């Protein structure tokens, strides 16, 4: 049974503050203004909870956002691209499931921090590439689709890899956003059963997700507002700065956990 009262009692005030910011960031990223901002959502929420809980709370919210625009996505998506990337993405999700099951949350935290840091480097590199001279390669689409499926499963960070390929396709903005909308709708629904099997999804997590659901449209409208008030140059500078801070924090937390575990194991061995 869903218990909102228990959801309140099980979390700190800091969690609700950071989680609310995370949900708003997801909404902003789905507004069409700065999709990269959504990368910050999981690291922020995970900083005040476990990685597993952050993944579980975010998934229903991501699906809700996808469903809002699904009709438009289906109408305007490039199905040639989807046929190319969806099967490799499914394989990447399978690898993500195996990877997720085989490691501890400490390793997962470190991995997400590394993924985030690498994607920051990617965004900097992509900003310096002349996309007019870039050629489309089907193998790149399959590769980025597979990587996107993997990182989406383990960290809801599927956007940056597939962006590498999508930007090279030079499609219109509506086709770009619609194709990615269908792509992530399929992937997010595909996570439901594996996440439940991994015991990530339960009624308590769902009740927590529902509490934040009203913030999703708020983030979307805020994205429209920011698009009018902030230049693209400063927007991406701000995103990259906070992305760097989030990745460093997760990497540091993961390394400290590993060092602490290693020291504790050494003490037990000495005893």
């Amino acid at each position: 049974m869903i218990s909102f009262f228990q959801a309140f009692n099980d979390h700190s005030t800091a969690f609700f503050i950071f989680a609310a910011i995370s949900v708003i960031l997801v909404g902003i990223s789905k507004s069409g203004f700065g999709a990269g901002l959504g990368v910050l959502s999981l690291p922020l929420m995970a900083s005040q909870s476990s990685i597993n809980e952050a993944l579980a709370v975010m998934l229903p919210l991501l699906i809700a956002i996808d469903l809002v625009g699904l009709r438009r996505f289906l109408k305007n998506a490039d199905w040639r691209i989807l046929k190319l990337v969806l099967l490799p993405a499914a394989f990447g999700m399978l690898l993500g499931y195996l990877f997720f099951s085989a490691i501890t949350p400490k390793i997962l935290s470190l991995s997400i921090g590394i993924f985030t840091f690498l994607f920051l480097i990617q965004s900097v590199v992509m900003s310096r590439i002349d996309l007019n001279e870039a050629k489309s390669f089907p193998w790149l689409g399959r590769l980025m689709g597979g990587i996107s499926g993997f990182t989406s499963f383990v960290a809801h960070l599927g956007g940056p890899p597939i962006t590498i390929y999508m930007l090279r396709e030079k499609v219109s903005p509506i086709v770009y956003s619609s194709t990615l909308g269908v792509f992530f709708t399929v992937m997010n629904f595909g996570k439901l059963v594996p996440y439940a099997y991994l015991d990530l999804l339960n009624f308590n997590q769902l009740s927590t997700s529902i509490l934040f659901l009203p913030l999703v449209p708020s983030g979307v409208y805020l994205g429209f507002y920011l698009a009018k008030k902030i230049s693209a140059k400063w927007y991406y500078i701000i995103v990259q700065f906070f992305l760097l801070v989030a990745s460093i924090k997760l990497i540091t937390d993961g390394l400290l956990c590993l060092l602490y575990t290693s020291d504790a194991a050494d003490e037990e061995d000495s005893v």
Side-chain angles (χ1 to χ4, degrees):
M1 181 177 180
I2 296 177
S3 174
F4 298 108
F5 182 76
Q6 184 176 351
F8 274 112
N9 287 339
D10 288 346
H11 301 93
S12 66
T13 302
F15 169 82
F16 281 103
I17 293 174
F18 278 81
I21 295 173
S22 299
V23 175
I24 291 174
L25 291 179
V26 172
I28 293 174
S29 71
K30 293 293 184 177
S31 70
F33 174 60
L37 193 59
V39 178
L40 295 173
S41 59
L42 184 73
L44 281 175
M45 187 179 294
S47 69
Q48 300 299 319
S49 66
S50 68
I51 292 293
N52 290 1
E53 181 176 20
L55 288 169
V57 171
M58 287 302 302
L59 182 56
L61 296 170
L62 292 172
I63 291 175
I65 296 172
D66 292 334
L67 290 177
V68 170
L70 185 58
R71 178 179 296 183
R72 189 198 69 175
F73 295 159
L74 292 173
K75 180 180 179 181
N76 298 289
D78 187 323
W79 292 95
R80 175 188 62 83
I81 294 177
L82 289 170
K83 290 178 181 178
L84 182 69
V85 300
L86 279 175
L87 184 58
F91 180 71
M93 290 178 65
L94 175 61
L95 292 179
Y97 167 78
L98 298 175
F99 177 83
F100 195 101
S101 303
I103 64 172
T104 65
K106 300 167 187 176
I107 298 293
L108 186 58
S109 176
L110 178 60
S111 301
I112 292 175
I114 294 174
F115 288 150
T116 307
F117 185 75
L118 291 177
F119 293 155
L120 173 61
I121 295 176
Q122 171 231 306
S123 67
V124 174
V125 171
M126 290 298 295
S127 67
R128 287 162 173 75
I129 292 179
D130 185 358
L131 294 176
N132 291 325
E133 298 180 359
K135 297 181 180 180
S136 176
F137 298 103
W139 66 264
L140 180 64
R142 297 187 184 97
L143 177 62
M144 292 299 104
I147 295 176
S148 182
F150 177 83
T151 55
S152 177
F153 189 93
V154 302
H156 296 326
L157 289 176
I162 197 64
T163 296
I164 295 177
Y165 178 68
M166 287 297 298
L167 290 178
R168 288 174 174 267
E169 288 297 289
K170 310 184 192 71
V171 296
S172 66
I174 185 66
V175 173
Y176 173 88
S177 60
S178 297
T179 303
L180 289 182
V182 174
F183 179 75
F184 286 114
T185 299
V186 172
M187 288 212 296
N188 287 330
F189 271 101
K191 299 175 193 175
L192 286 174
V193 173
Y195 271 35
Y197 184 78
L198 291 169
D199 201 26
L200 293 177
L201 297 178
N202 54 54
F203 287 123
N204 290 335
Q205 310 292 12
L206 180 58
S207 62
T208 303
S209 300
I210 293 175
L211 290 175
F212 292 110
L213 196 58
L215 294 176
V216 171
S218 301
V220 174
Y221 287 119
L222 180 57
F224 291 141
Y225 176 80
L226 292 176
K228 298 178 181 179
K229 298 296 182 179
I230 300 178
S231 68
K233 177 182 177 181
W234 278 105
Y235 167 79
Y236 283 110
I237 290 176
I238 294 171
V239 170
Q240 289 171 1
F241 171 76
F242 284 108
L243 186 57
L244 177 62
V245 172
S247 63
I248 290 175
K249 183 184 188 316
L250 284 175
I251 292 173
T252 302
D253 289 347
L255 289 175
L256 289 176
C257 286
L258 288 177
L259 290 175
Y260 177 80
T261 302
S262 178
D263 291 342
D266 291 340
E267 290 180 2
E268 289 180 1
D269 292 339
S270 62
V271 176

